[in-house]
Amino acid sequence: MKKNVFPFTAIVGQDKIKKALILNAINPSIGGVLIKGDRGTGKTTAVRALADLLPEIEVVEDCAFNCDLKSYRDFELYK
């Protein structure tokens, strides 16, 4: 069952958070985004809304960080 997610484009007044999330989605080598703010500012809503827009990826089973399969295989070559 899929949850209803607030649309990313409907989030208003969080331009810095939205820009940081979009840049990280475009270039994951940025390494992530740390979002800090008071309760009720829409941090989780923004993240879930963007995640709903992103394509599904194949992940490594039992990886706590949802490692994508290609990067994991590349990493295994250097072990």
Side-chain angles (χ1 to χ4, degrees), residues 6-61:
F6 195 78
F8 189 75
T9 55
I11 297 172
V12 178
Q14 299 291 349
D15 295 331
K16 288 182 181 180
I17 290 174
K18 289 172 32 178
K19 185 175 186 177
L21 290 170
I22 290 169
L23 289 173
N24 194 64
I26 292 169
N27 186 0
S29 66
I30 290 172
V33 175
L34 177 64
I35 301 173
K36 180 181 173 184
D38 294 330
R39 290 181 65 190
T41 56
K43 301 177 297 289
T44 303
T45 301
V47 172
R48 288 182 180 160
L50 181 66
D52 197 45
L53 296 175
L54 298 175
E56 297 269 334
I57 60 169
E58 292 184 36
V59 296
V60 176
E61 189 175 343

